[in-house]
Structures are given as C-alpha cells and as structure tokens.
Amino acid sequence: MIETDVAIIGAGPIGLELAVACKRAGLDYLQFDKRQIGQTIFWFPPQTRFFSSPERIALAGVPLQTADQSKATREEYLAYLRALVLQFDLDVRTYERVLAIERDGAGFTIRTQRAGADHAYRARRVVLSTGGTARPRPIGVPGEDLPHVSHYLHDVHTYFRQRLLVVGGKNSAIEAALRAWHAGAEVMLSYRRETFDPGAIKYWLLPEIQSLIQAGHVRGLLGTNVQAIGPERVTLAPTGGGEPFDVPADFVLLMTGYVADMALFRSAGVELVGPQQHPRVDLHTMATNVENLYAIGTAVAGTQQDYGVFIENCHVHVDRVMASLTGQAPPPPPPPNARPEE
C-alpha cells in the first residue's frame, strides 16, 4: 500500500494551489480527482469569461496573463491550470475516483478506483477539496430527462435557427440566452421571478438581456415556472397564479444551478450542517470534526443558493491548512471580500 503524509481529494484550482504549497514545504502528498484537473471550469461554455479579474483567481503566486488584458476565458484558465501542474510537476492522479475514506489508527485508508481497478493508499492527513457544483440541480418536472433537455450550455451552433427555451435568471442562464441569440437561435427565457437581481448577474450582461427583451428579440417569460417538458412544447405556469400555457421549444436549457456532492464527507464522518449541508470547520485551520481531516475551497459551503464562496476568497484556506499541517500559527484573516469584483 502506497503511503503519504497528505492526501488531497479534488484537483480544482484551490486543490492544485494546496498541492503547490505542499511541494514547496517539502510535504509528501498525493492528489486525486475522479475527472480531469479543473473539471468544473471545463464544464463552462466555450469562451466564458470569469467574473473575477485575473489577479484574483491566480494561484500560488504565479501570474495569470491574458492576451487582451481582460478577464480570463475558460480556455485561458484551463491552459493556466495545465501550465501550473507542469511547472511544479504536481503528482495529480486524474480519472481516479475516491470511493471511501476510512479511519485507520492515526491516519486514513483511501480506497480508489481507476479504469475498473481498485487501489488503496494510506495517508496521515486528508484534505477534501471537492468543489460545490458536482451535478445539476434537478427541477423535478416530467420530461426533464428528454434528450433535447440539458443543464449545460455547449456549442451554441447547436441552436442555430432552433426554438430554445432557457430556464433560469442568473449568470449562466443570461449568458446562455445571449450567446444563443447571437448565434441565430429563437430564444425564450423563463425565470420564476418578475425581475432580475442585478447583484446576481455580471454587469456587462444585464443591460443587454434587458434591452433584447424590451425590443422583443428575446421573449422574456418572467414570473413563470416550468410544469412539464414535452418533445416539442414546454408547459409554463405564472408564479403569481393563473392558467398554465405552452410554448414551442426544440431545445431546453435548464440553467437552474448545481449541487455539491458531499458523499465523501459523510462517509468519513464529517458533520454537515444546515440546508446547504456544509461541513462544520474551524475557520482558523479548516479542520473538520474528524481529526486530521480538513476541508477547503467551495466545498466548505456545501450546495450554495447564492454564491458567496468562490475561487478568489478561498486562497486563504490554503494558508490556514498549511499552517496547521506544518505546526505554524494560523494566518490573519484577509480583508472582507463578500462578492467577486464588480
């Protein structure tokens, strides 16, 4: 059985930043991810730009440069993550799913699976950095599983001259509606509220979607909920009461958010609290109630309704964990930063 001092579960940005910190400190570590590095970012639609400016999502002191000095795109950030792994020669075992974390004396046995083969490792300390958007949030209506329905925006060429219903009213939904309209789709936008929340939408997207709806280029179905999805039609109902009605749709994008997968936390005995099912952690060290098991990154918030924990305010988690792992005093709290850069 391979043994290590620190096992890092998850290879998103904050998990990779911790791996760099462990390597710099001379700590023996292994890192696992059930998919590729930065998998959540890989799910972003092509050419999506981050809300945060590059210096706020840069990792481990390595500058993030963009070709036009603007906010990074999905593609630029994935390239940055790959370069970070290469620069520090990080030991990341991708496509190796962690099945269980079991207490084993003073440490843990970590059971994994890769390509159908089972493996086992032993670690003195474990850090969970599994993110908060493991899978789409279902809306629970008939027809949600039909083949023309998706929770992810892929290439907008798919929707050229097609009737597309986008469901949702935050960044992912607004961006999907705009990009599909620019690609030549006939776009409808259903949102359960009567108005958009300016604080939940990138400032460069909100004026455009409002203008397109006002001009009738995008059909704004605000104040509606999806009741059922059929092969060619979707039934909507006014949220304030009234008769349901149908709209024609060739494709449906349910941009209604994502949920965290907290299964490893539960199996390891970590206490989860509140409706978001977030782990209870010591904010000085990021330690959970399980001795020598830590949580960092967006996983510390569980399933977020309104995102308040994101890459740029999770860097301090790495500093706190490293102080605990190396027996140092915890770092001072960073200045308040409630939301990404406006």
Side-chain angles (χ1 to χ4, degrees), residues 233-245:
R233 308 189 75 79
V234 177
T235 302
L236 302 174
T239 54
E243 289 297 317
F245 61 96

Side-chain angles (χ1 to χ4, degrees), residues 301-317:
T303 294
Q304 301 186 66
Q305 301 292 331
D306 296 307
Y307 286 87
V309 180
F310 28 77
I311 296 172
E312 69 173 67
N313 61 13
C314 288
H315 301 299
V316 69
H317 297 176

Side-chain angles (χ1 to χ4, degrees), residues 92-207:
V92 189
R93 303 188 178 207
T94 53
Y95 302 106
E96 187 163 348
R97 178 189 293 270
V98 174
L99 302 176
I101 302 168
E102 303 166 353
R103 188 54 119 169
D104 179 11
F108 303 88
T109 295
I110 299 169
R111 304 197 183 279
T112 72
Q113 188 175 79
R114 177 182 170 83
D118 293 334
H119 304 276
Y121 304 85
R122 194 168 188 285
R124 285 206 309 124
R125 281 90 64 92
V126 171
V127 183
L128 286 166
S129 183
T130 52
T133 54
R135 58 182 179 271
R137 187 196 311 276
I139 63 173
V141 301
E144 187 172 2
D145 57 350
L146 288 172
H148 67 297
V149 181
S150 176
H151 289 267
Y152 297 99
L153 173 66
H154 298 295
D155 196 316
V156 292
H157 182 74
T158 304
Y159 311 115
F160 174 66
R161 288 198 167 180
Q162 300 295 300
R163 298 168 298 184
L164 172 67
L165 176 67
V166 179
V167 179
K170 296 186 179 179
N171 274 320
S172 59
I174 302 303
E175 188 151 9
L178 290 173
R179 294 180 68 171
W181 183 81
H182 284 295
E186 180 184 327
V187 178
M188 299 162 284
L189 180 62
S190 169
Y191 183 39
R192 58 191 172 85
R193 296 181 179 174
E194 298 285 348
T195 59
F196 298 117
D197 176 6
I201 302 172
K202 296 172 184 175
Y203 61 81
W204 60 90
L205 300 179
L206 184 58

